[in-house]
Amino acid sequence: MATQNNGDHMTTRDDHIDLIRDLAAADARKELDPNWTLSRRGFIKSGIAAAAAVAMPYSVLGSGQARAENIPFSPDYGPLSPVFDEATGLPLLNLPEGFKYWSYGWTGDIMDDGIPTPSNHDGMAVVAVNNGRYVLVRNHEKGGVTGSFAAPELTYDPACDGGTTNLIFAPNSRGNKWASSRASISGTIRNCAGGPTPWNSWISCEETTNGLHTNPAYTKQHGYCFDVPAVGEAKPIALVDMGCFSHEAVAVDPATGIIYETEDSTPSGFYRFIPNVPGKPAMGGKLQMMKLVVAPNATRTINGVSYPYYDTGVAQPAGATWDVEWVDIEEPNKPFITGTTYGGVVSQGIMQGAASLRRGEGVWYGNGIIYVCSTSGGVAGRGQIFAYDPVNETFSLVYESADRNVLDNPDNIAWSPRGSLILCEDGSNAVSRMHGLTIDGKIFPFCENNMDFRAEGMGSISRNGVTYDRNQRGAEFAGATFQDGWLFVNIQANPGITFAITGPWSNGAL
């Protein structure tokens, strides 16, 4: 049995404090680069040759080839094989030749504020860049009532143990490239995914509508979004006008400041939040749910009345495209229908004929398009990817998985520097994977979870006083996010781990 030392955090607390002060000073001078997602400006700035994607992202798929070609591995990157972690020496991931990675923030590792790293690593993104350092915010999808892991001033509901942590990565450092980590908010429930913003923050989403009506241990209603800044203390204030429902993820359109939201439920809505003041969601705004211009194909009974609506998860023609309308949600802070414990927001849209996804999960802005994942959509129930065009107000099917061996229930998604998508699986396969989905209609596995701690795998390990001896290869990838030459991602296993992956990206589509 191997013993792993927690050598992740900086050598002294003073180093951590100095680093935070430097970032705070840069923030005050407005010098933090958002670099929160890849826009047209970011493409030009990066110098990456991806003219086809810039001109017409997913034009091939959107024009009628929504069932992409499945290939066993990228012909450009090559097949996958075990790669040893630069930080621990363990073969935790399978990757193409030439790629390497550094693991960090294992469950239980002591962070620079003295708090053990929480478990259940989930959504994540780079939210700011300064002087060669990246600031990431990472969700922890914990749903218990064992108490907040953060200080009282960073806590929403003292009973609850979900929340976020902030990480700093220094890619140009020798050796260990991870520089710092700390708790940012807690007292929340099931912080699943979220999304980066142009104002250097991460909007973290609670995937629940629990509250006092479901558990007297809670002190507050849950089912909200929270705005977590890259630097400085977060204010654990619920963004009530963004809705009280089973939130999954958000994507911000930098051109308008509108925030698009997904809901992990069935039926689930695809929403947009129009803020009163762009960049300041805490100042309120209007919530709306997407309605497609098409005849209804399903009904939902609400309080004894049957309402017709459109279910996007049924059989669709390849490349199906619909015109979009929006209906107002008059009561965004309505967590449940009278007589139930859920569905208060989505039902308002269904009653107006709005459209439904089957478990709306990942959503990401890329080059003017909002990409949306329906985790259980499609004939096989293995997932669909849609593209919403906010300028032309259209919603298009760009990919549907026909078999779990091709793609097994995609969850978190992200847009890559070369115009492709990275898809994180959350299905039932024995080995969980990340896939690339290219603009010319090819899907391929890029990375596999290789965390088998049994004797027939890599063997058991001990870290932070805990022994790991089980097969974790089926645990999901989450929180994929690109920045410059790095792909950051989590595995929500026991233990949860964060990875920074780099390699010859220019050889292929990612």
Side-chain angles (χ1 to χ4, degrees):
M1 179 177 68
T3 299
Q4 293 291 320
N5 295 320
N6 173 19
D8 290 335
H9 59 283
M10 301 180 73
T11 55
T12 70
R13 184 173 176 81
D14 288 342
D15 290 337
H16 167 71
I17 292 172
D18 289 344
L19 183 56
I20 296 301
R21 284 175 176 168
D22 287 347
L23 288 167
D27 185 40
R29 295 191 300 268
K30 307 296 184 184
E31 293 176 354
L32 288 184
D33 185 346
N35 274 17
W36 59 281
T37 191
L38 295 160
S39 62
R40 190 180 303 271
R41 181 185 66 83
F43 254 88
I44 296 170
K45 184 177 177 182
S46 70
I48 294 169
V54 171
M56 195 174 294
Y58 284 87
S59 58
V60 174
L61 293 181
S63 65
Q65 298 185 28
R67 285 152 185 82
E69 178 187 353
N70 174 40
I71 51 180
F73 56 84
S74 166
D76 301 313
Y77 294 132
L80 310 185
S81 61
V83 175
F84 292 94
D85 179 16
E86 298 289 324
T88 66
L90 297 171
L92 303 171
L93 301 178
N94 293 341
L95 286 162
E97 184 178 356
F99 284 86
K100 56 185 177 179
Y101 63 93
W102 283 255
S103 74
Y104 180 72
W106 292 49
T107 298
D109 285 356
I110 303 302
M111 298 187 292
D112 294 273
D113 53 9
I115 298 171
T117 299
S119 62
N120 296 71
H121 303 35
D122 210 311
M124 179 175 68
V126 175
V127 297
V129 175
N130 175 255
N131 196 25
R133 296 167 297 197
Y134 308 160
V135 182
L136 301 91
V137 183
R138 175 181 62 196
N139 276 0
H140 297 274
E141 193 185 14
K142 294 171 65 66
V145 288
T146 60
S148 169
F149 60 76
E153 62 271 19
L154 303 176
T155 295
Y156 174 67
D157 182 341
C160 301
D161 57 5
T164 64
T165 51
N166 284 28
L167 318 175
I168 298 175
F169 183 78
N172 298 322
S173 297
R174 291 185 177 181
N176 180 23
K177 298 179 182 297
W178 290 100
S180 179
S181 60
R182 63 181 175 89
S184 42
I185 67 167
S186 188
T188 50
I189 299 176
R190 296 191 66 187
N191 298 68
C192 195
T197 77
W199 51 92
N200 300 119
S201 73
W202 165 261
I203 293 180
S204 184
C205 299
E206 289 187 304
E207 187 189 352
T208 184
T209 54
N210 285 352
L212 290 170
H213 64 290
T214 61
N215 189 339
Y218 302 136
T219 68
K220 294 181 179 179
Q221 176 62 46
H222 292 266
Y224 298 114
C225 297
F226 297 82
D227 201 4
V228 183
V231 297
E233 282 197 356
K235 297 178 180 179
I237 299 172
L239 303 176
V240 175
D241 280 4
M242 288 182 65
C244 183
F245 55 86
S246 187
H247 288 273
E248 176 69 23
V250 304
V252 184
D253 184 342
T256 61
I258 293 175
I259 303 172
Y260 295 90
E261 310 176 44
T262 54
E263 177 180 24
D264 190 357
S265 176
T266 300
S268 69
F270 178 52
Y271 303 91
R272 72 176 183 183
F273 175 71
I274 305 174
N276 291 332
V277 180
K280 297 184 182 297
M283 297 183 68
K286 177 188 290 186
L287 185 68
Q288 297 178 318
M289 183 170 161
M290 182 182 70
K291 181 178 181 178
L292 301 179
V293 181
V294 63
N297 63 357
T299 60
R300 181 80 169 177
T301 299
I302 302 170
N303 289 336
V305 179
S306 180
Y307 294 93
Y309 69 98
Y310 190 77
D311 177 5
T312 60
V314 300
Q316 302 287 0
T321 297
W322 305 269
D323 291 330
V324 171
E325 297 176 347
W326 297 90
V327 298
D328 292 343
I329 302 298
E330 298 294 345
E331 297 181 79
N333 192 24
K334 184 178 182 180
F336 55 89
I337 305 166
T338 302
T340 73
T341 59
Y342 62 92
V345 172
V346 68
S347 294
Q348 294 178 60
I350 295 295
M351 291 166 69
Q352 300 177 73
S356 167
L357 304 176
R358 295 187 181 181
R359 295 184 60 205
E361 295 208 65
V363 61
W364 201 271
Y365 170 89
N367 198 41
I369 301 296
I370 309 293
Y371 296 100
V372 184
C373 175
S374 174
T375 294
S376 299
V379 175
R382 292 296 171 179
Q384 297 166 307
I385 305 297
F386 295 94
Y388 166 66
D389 183 338
V391 174
N392 295 306
E393 286 290 355
T394 58
F395 193 70
S396 302
L397 177 65
V398 298
Y399 176 73
E400 179 179 321
S401 176
D403 188 284
R404 75 178 193 180
N405 294 316
V406 178
L407 178 66
D408 190 21
N409 297 116
D411 186 337
N412 287 184
I413 63 175
W415 202 65
S416 80
R418 287 167 181 79
S420 298
L421 290 175
I422 194 84
L423 312 175
C424 297
E425 287 186 329
D426 183 15
S428 56
N429 282 344
V431 177
S432 187
R433 302 163 295 182
M434 280 193 294
H435 292 267
L437 177 61
T438 72
I439 59 174
D440 60 350
K442 294 182 175 63
I443 187 166
F444 60 90
F446 170 73
C447 179
E448 291 178 340
N449 179 345
N450 195 44
M451 291 170 52
D452 185 354
F453 299 118
R454 300 174 300 175
E456 57 267 42
M458 69 183 72
S460 65
I461 67 166
S462 179
R463 189 179 177 106
N464 303 313
V466 179
T467 297
Y468 301 104
D469 58 6
R470 297 185 179 183
N471 183 8
Q472 298 287 321
R473 295 195 70 194
E476 68 176 288
F477 284 96
T481 180
F482 284 94
Q483 181 62 49
D484 299 328
W486 295 86
L487 169 62
F488 300 93
V489 71
N490 298 314
I491 289 182
Q492 192 180 109
N494 183 22
I497 307 176
T498 297
F499 299 90
I501 303 169
T502 192
W505 299 110
S506 60
N507 289 352
L510 297 175

